[in-house]
């Protein structure tokens, strides 16, 4: 019998209280993001905290806040200085 898909507990509502600049590459963050702010348009390739493989978010518009828990950003096709991790 297959394992049932368990519901995930949503994050408590409210704003992030901490932020850090993200440089795409091999670094795994010491703290996972709660949100990812993308300041310039581009493709974001990231490892979400619950996944073992990276996923690409294509054509993310400038000024977008992605509500995703990320442990690593491996690549970004836009201006790399504009990624901010929020938690």
């Amino acid at each position: 019998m297959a394992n049932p898909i368990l519901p995930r507990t949503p994050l408590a509502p409210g704003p992030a209280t901490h932020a850090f600049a993200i440089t795409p590459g091999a670094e795994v963050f010491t703290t996972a993001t709660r949100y990812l702010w993308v300041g310039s348009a581009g493709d974001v390739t990231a490892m979400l905290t619950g996944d073992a493989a990276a996923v690409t978010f294509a054509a993310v518009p400038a000024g977008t806040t992605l509500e995703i828990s990320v442990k690593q950003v491996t690549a970004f096709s836009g201006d790399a200085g504009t990624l901010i991790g929020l938690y």
Side-chain angles (χ1 to χ4, degrees), residues 30-75:
T30 55
T31 301
T33 69
R34 181 172 173 171
Y35 306 101
L36 182 65
W37 185 77
V38 183
S40 66
D43 297 344
V44 179
T45 303
M47 294 279 293
L48 278 68
T49 56
D51 292 336
V55 63
T56 298
F57 296 87
V60 178
T64 297
T65 301
L66 299 172
E67 191 174 343
I68 55 177
S69 181
V70 171
K71 59 186 172 185
Q72 179 183 25
V73 174
T74 58

Side-chain angles (χ1 to χ4, degrees), residues 6 8-9 15-16 19-21 23 29 34 36 38-39 42 48 56 59 65 71 75 79-81 84:
L6 300 175
R8 295 182 185 247
T9 303
F20 61 96
T23 302
F29 310 144
R34 181 172 173 171
L36 182 65
V38 183
L48 278 68
T56 298
T65 301
K71 59 186 172 185
D79 180 4
I84 304 291

